[in-house]
Amino acid sequence: FALGIIMWELLTREHPYEEFRHTFSYQTEAAILEGIRPSYPERTGVDRAAAKEGVTREDMLAVMDEYRSIVTQCWSQKDTDRPEASAVVERLELCLAVLEGRTSSHQLLLPPRMRQIEEELQQLKDDVDELVVGGEQAKVHVNTDVRKMMVHTAMVSDVLMEERRAAAFDVAQTEKLMAEMEDATTKRTQETRRAEMQQLREVMKKIGGVSSEVQETLRLIEEKAQAMHRLEREVRLANKEMELATTRSEKLKARVNQLQLFADRIKGESRE
């Protein structure tokens, strides 16, 4: 109540209840209890005030009406009908935003619930934008991992082919050498045979060493294959997360559309 009286004094530059010319203070108190309130002066100088603030006549009239509405609600006879101080501050800030050209006077005509819905709608739009950005970032990470996996797979394949070619070459060389030794066995002496057998044992040792290297290579290939399987599982998990993010984004978009339709309907009702 007191805030409403102070706002009325700021508007009129007058003392409240002076117009009733009460002789005693109890008469003023009785008038207050009966619901009598100071009257508003006629709205004059609207065009001059609008020009001073740099706004249109319609915006200035809307701000004046909103200001009077706040004062009237503040000194309402029922205290339950009086607004909270935070709501008064919010409405005065909206009036200031209209005078500063930061928003349209149409916002003053909307009921508080409608303004709250528009704020929720904007928040939902911001959330959807964040989800879209997050989805794009996740997509970039997945594509990067897939490219790394493809490069790694190609490298493993090249190593495997090279090892196979080397092993095949060693086996072919051994078979060729053994065939030549078998052909020459019947023509050489026993000593020559012993020398050839020694040479054969050395070759066999080399073959054993090559076999060990091949086994080690196969072991490394197996470890790389397991790493590839793990990477594939991570890619599948990332794809699932992308699907969940997409589903949530679609739900939020649907919620935004519903709120937009509801907001449009309330705007239509407000204009009517």
Side-chain angles (χ1 to χ4, degrees):
F1 182 89
L3 178 60
I5 294 296
I6 292 173
M7 292 177 64
W8 182 88
E9 290 178 319
L10 292 174
L11 177 65
T12 63
R13 303 292 197 276
E14 296 178 359
H15 294 290
Y17 292 98
E18 191 177 53
E19 58 185 307
F20 299 105
R21 301 183 184 280
H22 293 149
T23 304
F24 302 101
S25 61
Y26 75 86
Q27 294 175 307
T28 303
E29 295 175 359
I32 293 174
L33 294 176
E34 291 175 3
I36 299 175
R37 301 291 185 264
S39 60
Y40 293 103
E42 294 183 0
R43 291 189 299 187
T44 58
V46 176
D47 294 331
R48 183 173 64 256
K52 181 179 179 181
E53 296 295 336
V55 297
T56 63
R57 175 183 176 83
E58 290 75 14
D59 288 344
M60 181 57 67
L61 288 173
V63 170
M64 288 182 175
D65 290 341
E66 179 68 6
Y67 190 91
R68 291 190 178 192
S69 175
I70 296 171
V71 172
T72 302
Q73 291 182 19
C74 285
W75 65 28
S76 178
Q77 189 70 6
K78 293 183 179 180
D79 57 355
T80 55
D81 295 336
R82 299 170 188 169
E84 297 288 338
S86 59
V88 174
V89 172
E90 181 180 353
R91 293 171 67 180
L92 289 176
E93 287 179 346
L94 186 58
C95 291
L96 182 61
V98 173
L99 293 177
E100 292 177 352
R102 291 185 285 109
T103 186
S104 171
S105 59
H106 174 70
Q107 297 292 326
L108 298 175
L109 303 178
L110 297 177
R113 177 57 181 164
M114 185 62 192
R115 289 197 291 268
Q116 182 180 0
I117 290 176
E118 288 193 348
E119 291 175 359
E120 293 178 357
L121 182 62
Q122 183 61 40
Q123 183 62 40
L124 283 174
K125 289 181 179 179
D126 295 339
D127 293 341
V128 169
D129 292 339
E130 291 180 1
L131 282 175
V132 170
V133 173
E136 291 296 331
Q137 292 177 351
K139 184 178 179 181
V140 170
H141 290 314
V142 170
N143 290 336
T144 302
D145 292 338
V146 170
R147 285 195 294 269
K148 290 181 178 178
M149 184 185 68
M150 293 176 64
V151 172
H152 186 70
T153 302
M155 293 175 61
V156 171
S157 298
D158 293 340
V159 171
L160 181 60
M161 292 299 296
E162 185 65 26
E163 294 294 338
R164 287 180 177 176
R165 285 195 295 268
F169 177 78
D170 291 338
V171 171
Q173 289 293 103
T174 301
E175 292 178 350
K176 181 179 179 181
L177 180 59
M178 291 179 66
E180 292 177 353
M181 290 178 65
E182 289 178 356
D183 293 340
T185 299
T186 56
K187 301 178 181 179
R188 294 177 183 174
T189 61
Q190 185 176 4
E191 186 177 352
T192 302
R193 290 179 181 177
R194 286 196 298 268
E196 289 176 347
M197 291 301 295
Q198 181 64 29
Q199 185 178 4
L200 179 59
R201 282 191 291 269
E202 293 176 357
V203 171
M204 292 302 294
K205 289 180 180 179
K206 291 181 179 180
I207 292 174
V210 171
S211 177
S212 299
E213 293 177 358
V214 171
Q215 290 178 358
E216 180 64 19
T217 301
L218 292 175
R219 185 184 64 79
L220 293 175
I221 291 172
E222 180 65 23
E223 291 178 355
K224 293 178 180 178
Q226 292 177 358
M228 287 175 60
H229 290 317
R230 288 195 296 270
L231 184 58
E232 289 176 353
R233 286 196 298 270
E234 293 175 358
V235 170
R236 286 195 294 270
L237 289 175
N239 288 332
K240 288 182 179 179
E241 292 177 357
M242 282 285 293
E243 292 175 358
L244 290 175
T246 302
T247 302
R248 185 180 176 190
S249 176
E250 292 175 353
K251 289 182 179 179
L252 283 176
K253 287 182 180 178
R255 176 60 178 163
V256 168
N257 292 332
Q258 292 177 357
L259 286 176
Q260 185 67 54
L261 292 175
F262 183 64
D264 293 339
R265 186 181 67 187
I266 293 181
K267 285 182 179 179
E269 292 176 356
S270 176
R271 294 192 185 97
E272 291 177 358

